[in-house]
Amino acid sequence: MAQKAIAVLTSGGDAPGMNAAVRAVVRSGINKGLRVFGVYRGYNGLLNGEIKEMNLRSVSEIIGNGGTMLYTARSEEFKKKEAQLRAAEFCRSNDISGVVVIGGDGSFQGARALTEAGINCIGVPGTIDNDIACSEYTVGYDTAMNTALEMVDRIRDTAQSHDRCSIVEVMGRRCGDIALQTGIATGATAILVPEVEFNIERDVIARIVNTQKTGKKHFIIVVAEGVGKVNDLAKYIEQRLGIEARATVLGHVQRGGSPTLRDRVVASEMGYRAVELLAQDIGNRVVVMRDGKITDLDITEALQMERVFDTELYKIAMTISI
Ligand code: ADP
Ligand code: F6P
């Protein structure tokens, strides 16, 4: 009988720490006597036959690198049933019985579809946004937050020198976690996130005016990408309050860079657990962090969960950033 094989791919937006997860999968798999293939460019690699067998040294020197050595992609084609069946057939023809999928919610839907097509898949949450409801933590989040923190600190230096208001947009299309964490850590006067309804007069203008009265002359406003319109907000603040305002969109700088210790460690634990499951022929699960511990959940159950925004932390930020 052929030696059992598994594969690993990264899909959707890249995130620092994905390499650490790939490394953990490859090394844990080989340690269990499995062959391990790297699949290049997400699900497209299964459709185009872009795979390569990995050995222990294939993943040397990657734990500290940002990005993903396996490259990533968004594959529209893979959303079609015919493509999923073809990908499953490709796996079978290479004796691949299981795949670790490192990505976000969308990638987990792909993992569920591939499991239904007969190949066990395990999802590992990898996205800077921390927007996966089933897990308290996603690989890449800590690095992204710390990058945003450093950038906002730099912006504060110049805002302070000029007595200006700086509006900073951080990533997070549907999720305000990076904005909330960065906002509280930099003492932002206002934080706007998609999860909390806001009113510009009450939640931005009045907060600036109130802190002005206590002698403050420069202001940081952190805005999540999902709220956007930071240039319009800067213009409005200038017209309304007569203070100079500048907008900065941090953008993809938050997606790159060497992963923090936390991202490297969590990615290693999650990658290891994913292989433990595949080695037991268990599929259709997502490795998650719950109550600070690494565990796993059924993919369908995981995809049905709703994200809970930390309103208590938001309240704390609004109370002390005055
Ligand atoms: P993320 O994984 O970061 O949420 P996307 O939503 O872009 O990113 O999804 C990544 C990829 O996962 C998609 O390009 C596609 O290949 C696959 N995918 C997403 N949704 C589905 C689906 N409903 N069925 C099958 N594959 C999907
Ligand atoms: O999901 C991660 C993320 O960085 C989001 O914060 C952002 O909206 C999106 O990906 C941008 O994706 P891209 O530029 O790769 O299309």
Side-chain angles (χ1 to χ4, degrees):
M1 209 174 90
Q3 190 185 355
K4 186 167 157 173
I6 62 168
V8 53
L9 61 84
T10 49
S11 166
D14 66 344
M18 279 185 163
N19 279 325
V22 170
R23 174 177 175 272
V25 170
V26 171
R27 299 237 171 118
S28 308
I30 292 173
N31 189 261
K32 284 193 174 296
L34 307 173
R35 296 174 72 196
V36 185
F37 288 89
V39 179
Y40 290 84
R41 299 182 171 81
Y43 291 111
N44 280 339
L46 294 177
L47 300 174
N48 305 331
E50 255 194 290
I51 63 170
K52 189 174 156 207
E53 184 159 0
M54 315 290 268
N55 61 42
L56 293 174
R57 298 277 69 81
S58 314
V59 289
S60 293
E61 320 266 340
I62 64 164
I63 195 165
N65 296 347
T68 159
M69 68 165 288
L70 294 177
Y71 302 86
T72 186
R74 295 194 170 97
S75 170
E76 274 311 304
E77 194 184 355
F78 189 76
K79 291 184 180 170
K80 296 185 195 124
K81 185 98 187 151
E82 171 278 319
Q84 295 156 9
L85 295 175
R86 196 151 46 84
E89 194 41 49
F90 173 75
C91 289
R92 274 188 288 272
S93 68
N94 285 281
D95 299 314
I96 295 169
S97 60
V99 181
V100 179
V101 173
I102 306 165
D105 271 346
S107 302
F108 295 167
Q109 294 193 39
R112 179 170 56 183
L114 191 56
T115 305
E116 278 165 12
I119 304 297
N120 282 333
C121 288
I122 304 292
V124 167
T127 162
I128 65 163
D129 287 2
N130 204 38
D131 62 348
I132 300 183
C134 60
S135 184
E136 288 158 10
Y137 190 80
T138 61
V139 171
Y141 178 47
D142 191 58
T143 308
M145 280 189 297
N146 279 292
T147 302
L149 172 67
E150 189 193 332
M151 296 300 130
V152 178
D153 280 346
R154 287 171 187 241
I155 289 168
R156 177 184 292 286
D157 289 345
T158 168
Q160 184 168 27
S161 305
H162 288 263
D163 291 333
R164 277 177 179 159
C165 177
S166 274
I167 299 109
V168 188
E169 181 186 302
V170 298
M171 271 189 166
R173 213 174 350 196
R174 297 167 297 157
C175 177
D177 282 13
I178 296 178
L180 175 58
Q181 298 280 329
T182 311
I184 196 164
T186 58
T189 301
I191 302 170
L192 304 182
V193 294
E195 295 91 338
V196 180
E197 244 182 78
F198 58 86
N199 169 297
I200 296 291
E201 284 302 318
R202 183 194 62 206
D203 299 311
V204 178
I205 302 297
R207 289 186 67 85
I208 293 176
V209 170
N210 286 341
T211 49
Q212 264 180 329
K213 284 183 194 152
T214 65
K216 196 169 168 72
K217 290 190 168 53
H218 74 278
F219 312 91
I220 300 288
I221 314 289
V222 175
V223 179
E225 178 189 3
V227 171
K229 298 199 175 97
V230 285
N231 285 304
D232 293 349
L233 184 57
K235 275 190 211 124
Y236 185 70
I237 290 170
E238 286 200 337
Q239 285 159 9
R240 179 77 176 71
L241 298 175
I243 47 178
E244 277 191 319
R246 295 286 186 273
T248 307
V249 177
L250 292 187
H252 289 82
V253 71
Q254 296 157 99
R255 283 248 293 259
S258 177
T260 58
L261 176 143
R262 183 162 162 78
D263 275 327
R264 296 182 201 191
V265 173
V266 174
S268 300
E269 285 181 274
M270 287 183 164
Y272 173 86
R273 187 162 185 118
V275 174
E276 290 280 301
L277 293 167
L278 285 185
Q280 298 169 66
D281 292 321
I282 297 171
N284 216 39
R285 312 278 301 169
V286 189
V287 178
V288 295
M289 184 186 285
R290 295 184 76 83
D291 297 327
K293 300 230 161 24
I294 305 299
T295 180
D296 53 273
L297 293 171
D298 175 76
I299 289 191
T300 303
E301 241 174 72
L303 286 170
Q304 279 164 354
M305 290 181 173
E306 276 184 31
R307 272 196 65 250
V308 183
F309 184 70
D310 192 345
T311 46
E312 185 57 27
L313 188 60
Y314 188 80
K315 200 173 91 192
I316 293 171
M318 292 303 99
T319 307
I320 63 180
S321 295
I322 47 172

